[in-house]
């Protein structure tokens, strides 16, 4: 089997399991407990926080551990919006993850916020002029994802954040898909808050964190024991914190090397598919995209049939976001990029880890061409 659905989740790395193991067995204390076992857990939690802060070039106190990217998005958007009295207007791109869009809908329905979804180009880039025009004195937050989870398009975050800061508007980014592949220096990016999830990096599901800039007001979602400096109550998942910190460090130590190799694999796959399948459409920006995602539409072919044919050929892939699995509606991301609904329903996303080999990508590329041709042939005979 060739696993090409890493944008949905990744296997846990051995080094991460080894780092977690003592915290699940011999050093299992509650970090809030004032005894030797608890203090040992507190040191491990502090180590994880410092490790993350080093990778993000921020203060350890700016890191809030969460259960994953969805919670981090919720905490950032609800927390900043409800804590800032400036106004009730939020900006976001039209191609955000459901964790962001559903949170915005909640704020609109229950708290009377006005939401503006910024249009994107046919390649998935936010229109900068639209952002500038949409900013107004009531804007209290702008949230734009770093890299799209369905098509891989990478946004010019530093430029977008700077535009918001000129108007005194804080900027949050969902960097779940970007982590491990793109720079995460919060100072260079100019972001005020950033969400990360562990299971996209080689850590287990159920761990994540939110970076939130010092002194930026943040209303907590979860109240209780006051953990995480009062921003996220509940006994901390120490093993999960160490897991995501370890995975992040490992990914970024080799990021430059792995990204360059992955870009070559991506471009080979894209070239093979576009040359081998008549009418194939590459979705997302051709170059300003993640190194490990290639996404296509195949007009006139059944997307579901292509996925099944690929799996029979030993290639596991997806049609897009795992969070929309089972939905009969076409991808909202592709519709926002201007694709027709019928075309959007033929989407195929191939995504991989740094451990995926050149040979696996080459085999998968040929399998895509063969599978689509088979499905097209069945359709033409029907």
């Amino acid at each position: 089997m060739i696993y090409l659905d890493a944008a949905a989740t990744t296997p846990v790395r051995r080094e991460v399991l080894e780092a977690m193991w003592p915290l699940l067995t011999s050093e299992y204390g509650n970090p809030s407990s004032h005894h030797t076992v608890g203090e040992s857990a507190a040191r491990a939690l502090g180590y994880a926080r410092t490790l993350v802060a080093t990778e993000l070039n921020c203060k350890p106190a700016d890191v809030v551990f969460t259960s994953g990217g969805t919670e981090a998005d919720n905490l950032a958007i609800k927390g900043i919006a409800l804590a800032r009295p400036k106004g009730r207007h939020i900006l976001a791109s039209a191609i955000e993850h459901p964790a962001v869009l559903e949170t915005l809908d909640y704020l609109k329905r229950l708290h009377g916020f006005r939401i503006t979804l910024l249009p994107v180009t046919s390649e998935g880039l936010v229109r900068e002029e639209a952002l500038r025009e949409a900013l107004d004195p009531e804007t209290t937050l702008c949230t734009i994802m770093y890299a799209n989870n369905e098509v891989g398009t990478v946004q010019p975050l530093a430029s977008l954040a700077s535009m918001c800061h000129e108007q005194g508007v804080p900027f949050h980014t969902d960097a779940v898909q970007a982590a491990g592949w793109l720079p995460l220096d919060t100072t260079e990016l100019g972001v005020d808050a950033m969400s990360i999830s562990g299971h996209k990096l080689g850590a287990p599901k159920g761990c994540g964190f939110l970076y939130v800039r010092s002194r930026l007001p943040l209303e907590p979602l979860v109240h209780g024991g006051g953990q995480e400096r009062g921003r996220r109550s509940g006994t901390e998942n120490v093993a999960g914190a160490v897991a995501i910190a370890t995975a992040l460090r490992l990914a970024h130590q080799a990021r430059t090397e792995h990204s360059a190799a992955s870009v070559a694999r991506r471009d080979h796959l894209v070239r093979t598919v576009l040359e081998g399948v008549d009418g194939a459409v590459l979705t997302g920006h051709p170059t300003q995209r993640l190194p490990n995602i290639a996404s296509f539409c195949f007009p006139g072919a059944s997307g579901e049939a292509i996925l099944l044919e690929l799996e029979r050929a030993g290639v596991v892939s997806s049609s897009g976001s795992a969070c929309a699995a089972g939905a009969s509606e076409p991808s909202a991301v592709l519709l926002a990029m201007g694709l027709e609904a019928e075309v959007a329903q033929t989407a195929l996303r191939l995504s991989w880890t740094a451990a995926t080999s050149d040979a696996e990508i080459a085999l998968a590329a040929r399998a895509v061409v063969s599978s689509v041709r088979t499905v097209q042939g069945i359709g033409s005979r029907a």
Side-chain angles (χ1 to χ4, degrees):
M1 182 188 73
I2 300 175
Y3 179 74
L4 296 186
D5 198 19
T9 197
T10 60
V12 180
R13 297 182 61 149
R14 176 176 293 275
E15 303 96 323
V16 171
L17 288 171
E18 290 172 351
M20 292 177 68
W21 183 248
L23 301 163
L24 297 170
T25 54
S26 58
E27 300 173 29
Y28 48 80
N30 185 323
S32 297
S33 297
H34 298 293
H35 49 58
T36 304
V37 181
E39 289 168 356
S40 176
R43 284 193 296 273
L45 186 64
Y47 164 77
R49 204 181 307 278
T50 300
L51 210 58
V52 169
T54 300
E55 299 301 328
L56 269 59
N57 189 23
C58 68
K59 300 174 183 177
D62 296 346
V63 178
V64 182
F65 288 111
T66 69
S67 63
T70 293
E71 185 190 342
D73 283 339
N74 273 259
L75 177 56
I77 296 169
K78 294 175 184 173
I80 295 171
L82 296 176
R84 299 185 81 241
K86 180 182 177 182
R88 290 181 176 269
H89 178 222
I90 302 177
L91 299 174
S93 82
I95 59 171
E96 295 298 313
H97 188 276
V100 169
L101 295 177
E102 292 297 322
T103 299
L104 295 175
D105 182 63
Y106 161 82
L107 288 171
K108 178 181 178 180
R109 289 185 295 104
L110 274 69
H111 294 276
F113 277 80
R114 178 166 52 96
I115 309 300
T116 298
L117 295 182
L118 302 167
V120 296
T121 67
S122 60
E123 296 173 336
L125 288 172
V126 170
R127 297 183 184 275
E128 295 190 26
E129 65 276 12
L131 171 58
R132 191 178 299 280
E133 292 173 2
L135 287 163
D136 66 38
E138 293 296 308
T139 307
T140 196
L141 175 66
C142 179
T143 175
I144 296 176
M145 69 194 327
Y146 195 172
N148 185 264
N149 56 300
E150 292 189 35
V151 299
T153 297
V154 177
Q155 304 294 341
L157 277 197
S159 175
L160 299 173
S162 176
M163 200 178 300
C164 290
H165 292 159
E166 290 173 4
Q167 304 297 322
V169 175
F171 189 95
H172 163 258
T173 188
D174 177 334
V176 167
Q177 212 61 247
W181 295 102
L182 300 177
L184 295 180
D185 187 311
T186 55
T187 300
E188 292 184 0
L189 292 174
V191 298
D192 301 287
M194 175 188 289
S195 304
I196 303 287
S197 181
H199 73 103
K200 313 288 187 176
L201 284 165
K205 301 167 188 67
C207 61
F209 66 81
L210 172 68
Y211 154 76
V212 59
R213 179 174 53 79
S214 299
R215 295 185 295 279
L216 182 64
L218 187 75
E219 181 67 26
L221 302 183
V222 181
H223 303 85
Q227 289 88 348
E228 296 298 295
R229 295 176 178 261
R231 295 170 297 187
R232 200 269 192 181
S233 290
T235 302
E236 297 94 340
N237 176 5
V238 180
V242 169
I244 190 171
T246 302
L248 185 66
R249 177 176 57 84
L250 290 170
H252 278 259
Q253 281 178 340
R255 181 179 61 80
T256 302
E257 175 188 349
H258 286 163
S259 291
S262 191
V263 165
R265 294 176 190 130
R266 180 199 70 195
D267 292 349
H268 170 78
L269 192 156
V270 169
R271 186 169 56 252
T272 300
V273 172
L274 294 182
E275 290 176 355
V277 179
D278 289 340
V281 176
L282 176 70
T283 55
H285 197 281
T287 57
Q288 196 170 316
R289 65 188 298 140
L290 287 170
N292 69 320
I293 290 182
S295 53
F296 307 90
C297 283
F298 303 99
S302 165
E304 183 178 355
I306 293 171
L307 290 175
L308 292 172
E309 192 67 29
L310 271 174
E311 190 157 4
R312 276 194 285 268
V315 177
V316 175
S317 56
S318 71
S319 59
S321 174
C323 296
S328 58
E329 296 299 314
S331 161
V333 169
L334 297 180
L335 294 180
M337 290 166 53
L339 273 73
E340 297 292 333
E342 295 80 7
V343 176
Q345 287 182 315
T346 70
L348 172 69
R349 180 187 67 183
L350 306 163
S351 53
W352 52 92
T353 71
T356 306
S357 68
D358 292 349
E360 287 175 313
I361 292 297
L363 283 170
R366 292 195 292 272
V368 171
V369 172
S370 174
S371 296
V372 175
R373 286 177 174 175
T374 297
V375 171
Q376 289 175 333
I378 293 173
S380 66
R381 294 192 298 271

